Amino acid sequence: MSLGIAKFTQFQKAQRDTAEAKEWLAHIGASGRGSDTLQLSHAHCSMKLTIAGQYTDGGKNYWESPSCLNSALLSVIIRKRDELLAEAVELLKSRETSALIDAKSEIDAINAAIEAAAA
């Protein structure tokens, strides 16, 4: 029987992802050089949405959102950033918790193998 720690490794990655996001977010609103206050920049952000699927047989598979929609959506995201970023961090935390719970079965199997070897 081959035992590994893949699920625990997935938890550790999820944990690092949450920490990395929180560290990046901590800079928003912070003081920069001189009188700069660090903020999200509409001019430097980018985004696009993509619809996947064919409308007709032989048609194209992906439909990218128009730049006018991307710009408007980015404005909404920046305006509602506190709420949306908090929700994104909660999603990362939820993934972290789920990964840790998933690792329990793996840890239980490792513990059972240790007990069997010690018997």
Side-chain angles (χ1 to χ4, degrees):
M1 175 178 185
S2 173
L3 294 176
I5 54 170
K7 292 187 184 300
F8 189 72
T9 301
Q10 290 170 359
F11 158 71
Q12 290 175 313
K13 182 190 179 317
Q15 192 176 43
R16 285 190 306 272
D17 289 348
T18 301
E20 181 181 13
K22 288 172 135 182
E23 182 181 343
W24 186 85
L25 290 170
H27 295 288
I28 297 174
S31 295
R33 65 176 170 78
S35 62
D36 282 355
T37 300
L38 305 177
Q39 297 296 335
L40 294 177
S41 169
H42 190 285
H44 296 94
C45 290
S46 63
M47 66 166 299
K48 71 176 179 177
L49 302 174
T50 304
I51 297 172
Q54 292 181 325
Y55 288 133
T56 60
D57 288 341
K60 64 185 195 175
N61 294 323
Y62 301 100
W63 306 81
E64 292 185 1
S65 54
S67 60
C68 59
L69 176 62
N70 298 341
S71 180
L73 185 55
L74 186 55
S75 293
V76 170
I77 290 169
I78 290 172
R79 189 175 72 243
K80 296 185 175 201
R81 74 161 201 232
D82 292 340
E83 174 186 346
L84 295 172
L85 293 174
E87 189 171 333
V89 169
E90 285 303 315
L91 178 59
L92 289 170
K93 287 180 186 176
S94 174
R95 289 177 180 168
E96 183 181 329
T97 300
S98 293
L100 184 58
I101 291 168
D102 288 345
K104 184 180 182 320
S105 63
E106 195 168 56
I107 292 167
D108 290 346
I110 292 169
N111 284 333
I114 290 169
E115 288 176 16

